[in-house]
Amino acid sequence: MEDNTRYCITTKNCTDKGGRKQQKWIRIAFDPQFDTTITHHNRALVNERIAQHQQQQARQSAASAPPRQCAAATEAAETDTVEDQEEVPVSVPQYQRQLRKIQAADRASKTDVNVSNHLHTIYSDEHIVVTNKPSGILCVPGVNKNKSLLDLVFDVYGASEAELAAIAAEDIESERRRDNSNLPKNQTSKKRKTNTANPNITTTSATDFSPVTRDNMIVHRLDMDTSGIVIFARNRHAMSKLHEAFRQKDTGSTRKVYVALLVGWLDIDCWIDAAAAAASSAVEEDDDDEGDSVVDDENGEFLGGGEIILPLQRDHKHPPFMRVSTPHSEAEAHQAVADLNHAGYKKLIAKRPKPSVTRFRVVKHELWMGHKVTRVELNPVTGRTHQLRVHCAALGHPILGDPAYGYYGEANPNGGFSNSIIRSISPTYAKIKLRDDVEKNVKESGRTMCLHAKELSLNHPMTGEWVSFSAAPSF
């Protein structure tokens, strides 16, 4: 049974921080009745809504005229080739995916990761180190123990051998005190200790400035092919504060801005026209206006933007990757877990889909090696695994060079939507021929994924001051 779930496109009022109205702002989300973050624990309701949705789509397809297209979409449709309307044979992407996995593993093992070429420090003090990670290297050692950015940071900014010995001794002493006092395993006595970096400073465990081990320096990470800002902790106090900030990212304790190149031209005018067409043909309008959105727009040099509000779930067909969660995929995930439970895997459960929100702004339309691409800024309001990559793919515009969610990627394409569905819901989706041509040039040029963590803002773990770190992308 095919998954026919479609998201809705609506326009939304948007203001900048100065209160000025911003035009060309869209909202991409499911109708609430198909939001799996609401229906997750009610399988009967999930199945009922799948049936209702399919009946609704059938009625709409029979009764409605072809959707209105903007000029850009009409021009693109006229240039479609026959091949673009045909599905690619399953064997082709399967072969390409396996080849890409082998090439990625080979690249990771053969890259000579070293300080001079790969450690680009933007800022450092006694508490934190901020780096600009190059694309193509790991943040932390992988399963093959290849050298990573963490290794480089620790070699230059990490604890000395004497400090590491002191840390080990303190851990042994803490374990002994815990055993003697019968404290729970996750609780230690608050004994005053000497700061190993400065013996004149004594602190309690609540303000512990002692150095940390290599593995404890990492507080967040980027994917291997993503470049940009990564922050590391140099002491336990900074580690604790940074972990807290990243855990509470949904509350605004951190702010991240990414830059990406998307395959194809994402034209907001076409999406606005599609929203207008849908609104004019709707029998009833869903009054789901949550008020004006407030966005940062210091110079106004954008071609429009919007917010993507699509829940994400682990893809049971392509683990460990992610996909947009629909009632159909959620029902399949429940069934897959039930089958595995029956086969003896009793501890497996269907994880709840997570609400996921990405704000984006179209910076400009460009050409990359003669191919149409769109430069966008992405702001992950929530911080789900691979959120930006899945959300962009679900627009029909995967990130250029994405080895998982791009063309021939290892994950489900289009964020989980089929090619036929993405053609019907994305007014400007990147055509198959364009994706294929881009993929060929990505291979030939050795271009890695064009996703860069441009800016990271948060409260400094020691001073509490709101600080921002930025680095320009290489693309």
Side-chain angles (χ1 to χ4, degrees):
M1 183 172 61
E2 184 180 3
D3 186 354
N4 290 315
T5 309
R6 292 164 166 80
Y7 50 68
C8 302
I9 308 166
T10 56
T11 56
K12 190 175 180 68
N13 291 332
C14 178
T15 61
D16 63 13
K17 288 187 175 181
R20 297 169 298 180
K21 288 286 184 180
Q22 304 295 314
Q23 302 300 318
K24 300 185 180 180
W25 190 261
I26 60 173
R27 184 174 184 268
I28 299 163
F30 288 133
D31 186 286
Q33 65 176 320
F34 302 117
D35 186 344
T36 55
T37 61
I38 301 172
T39 64
H40 172 78
H41 290 301
N42 191 334
R43 289 189 61 191
L45 183 59
V46 170
N47 293 329
E48 178 185 347
R49 287 178 176 175
I50 290 173
Q52 291 175 349
H53 188 56
Q54 289 176 333
Q55 293 171 3
Q56 180 185 13
Q57 291 296 328
R59 289 195 300 269
Q60 289 178 350
S61 298
S64 63
R68 186 175 65 192
Q69 293 182 319
C70 67
T74 303
E75 180 182 354
E78 292 173 352
T79 60
D80 279 351
T81 61
V82 175
E83 291 82 1
D84 189 41
Q85 302 301 324
E86 297 177 352
E87 296 294 332
V88 177
V90 175
S91 58
V92 175
Q94 285 180 341
Y95 171 78
Q96 293 288 349
R97 287 166 187 157
Q98 283 300 115
L99 183 61
R100 175 171 266 172
K101 286 178 67 176
I102 295 171
Q103 290 172 338
D106 187 60
R107 177 160 53 91
S109 62
K110 291 184 177 179
T111 301
D112 178 22
V113 179
N114 58 77
V115 171
S116 59
N117 293 326
H118 300 102
L119 180 58
H120 308 305
T121 303
I122 295 175
Y123 173 84
S124 67
D125 60 26
E126 294 178 338
H127 308 280
I128 59 174
V129 178
V130 183
T131 67
N132 180 16
K133 184 185 95 67
S135 176
I137 70 170
L138 295 166
C139 266
V140 297
V143 293
N144 296 321
K145 305 300 181 184
N146 297 318
K147 198 162 189 178
S148 66
L149 179 62
L150 174 60
D151 294 307
L152 303 183
V153 171
F154 182 75
D155 288 346
V156 177
Y157 299 100
S160 66
E161 291 186 6
E163 290 171 329
L164 290 174
I167 293 171
E170 174 62 25
D171 289 342
I172 294 173
E173 176 63 18
S174 295
E175 187 73 24
R176 186 190 65 79
R177 290 198 303 268
R178 185 165 52 241
D179 292 342
N180 291 341
S181 60
N182 295 320
L183 288 173
K185 189 173 183 179
N186 63 348
Q187 183 178 351
T188 60
S189 59
K190 291 187 178 181
K191 180 179 179 180
R192 295 182 67 83
K193 60 185 69 177
T194 299
N195 187 311
T196 55
N198 187 345
N200 296 320
I201 300 177
T202 58
T203 65
T204 65
S205 58
T207 54
D208 185 357
F209 295 104
S210 60
V212 292
T213 61
R214 184 198 67 166
D215 292 346
N216 284 331
M217 294 185 76
I218 192 79
V219 292
H220 74 121
R221 63 189 68 184
L222 298 176
D223 297 327
M224 184 176 80
D225 289 319
T226 304
S227 59
I229 303 295
V230 182
I231 187 170
F232 295 86
R234 299 189 68 181
N235 58 55
R236 294 188 183 184
H237 177 73
M239 178 190 72
S240 176
K241 288 292 186 180
L242 291 174
H243 274 307
E244 181 181 353
F246 283 104
R247 278 197 304 268
Q248 298 176 354
K249 50 186 171 287
D250 294 2
T251 66
S253 58
T254 62
R255 183 178 185 275
K256 300 177 182 178
V257 178
Y258 290 75
V259 177
L261 290 183
L262 308 185
V263 179
W265 280 358
L266 173 56
D267 189 338
I268 294 297
D269 287 330
C270 293
W271 289 75
I272 291 175
D273 286 350
S280 63
S281 63
V283 177
E284 294 183 3
E285 290 194 17
D286 182 20
D287 186 12
D288 189 34
D289 190 359
E290 300 175 356
D292 290 355
S293 291
V294 178
V295 298
D296 295 320
D297 195 0
E298 296 178 356
N299 53 25
E301 296 177 358
F302 298 95
L303 303 179
E307 52 190 354
I308 307 165
I309 310 174
L310 298 176
L312 299 183
Q313 69 177 109
R314 189 73 64 182
D315 192 340
H316 64 284
K317 291 183 178 179
H318 299 83
F321 299 107
M322 306 294 287
R323 61 157 292 154
V324 172
S325 179
T326 67
H328 188 276
S329 70
E330 178 68 350
E332 285 191 336
H334 275 284
Q335 187 59 53
V337 170
D339 292 343
L340 288 167
N341 290 159
H342 183 72
Y345 298 92
K346 301 297 184 182
K347 293 184 179 180
L348 288 176
I349 61 173
K351 292 185 177 180
R352 186 183 183 91
K354 294 184 177 181
S356 307
V357 181
T358 300
R359 289 178 180 156
F360 70 94
R361 296 187 293 192
V362 177
V363 179
K364 62 180 177 178
H365 299 133
E366 305 177 10
L367 293 177
W368 179 80
M369 299 189 73
H371 305 301
K372 292 181 177 180
V373 296
T374 302
R375 184 174 296 270
V376 294
E377 282 192 358
L378 305 168
N379 171 219
V381 179
T382 54
R384 314 305 179 200
T385 301
H386 295 174
Q387 175 180 312
L388 300 181
R389 299 163 68 179
V390 178
H391 275 175
C392 289
L395 298 183
H397 295 278
I399 296 174
L400 191 151
D402 191 330
Y405 302 96
Y407 197 58
Y408 296 145
E410 299 175 60
N412 218 327
N414 305 317
F417 297 106
S418 68
N419 285 336
S420 60
I421 293 297
I422 206 68
R423 291 188 190 109
S424 68
I425 58 178
S426 170
T428 60
Y429 76 95
K431 307 298 187 289
I432 290 179
K433 186 177 186 308
L434 173 60
R435 299 189 193 198
D436 187 44
D437 290 342
V438 167
E439 177 65 20
K440 290 176 182 176
N441 283 137
V442 165
K443 281 185 181 179
E444 293 169 359
S445 65
R447 174 70 252 181
T448 53
M449 182 169 63
C450 292
L451 177 62
H452 177 80
K454 170 188 173 183
E455 182 180 325
L456 172 63
S457 302
L458 75 174
N459 294 109
H460 190 284
M462 181 58 192
T463 66
E465 178 187 0
W466 185 257
V467 292
S468 296
F469 305 101
S470 61
S474 63
F475 51 84

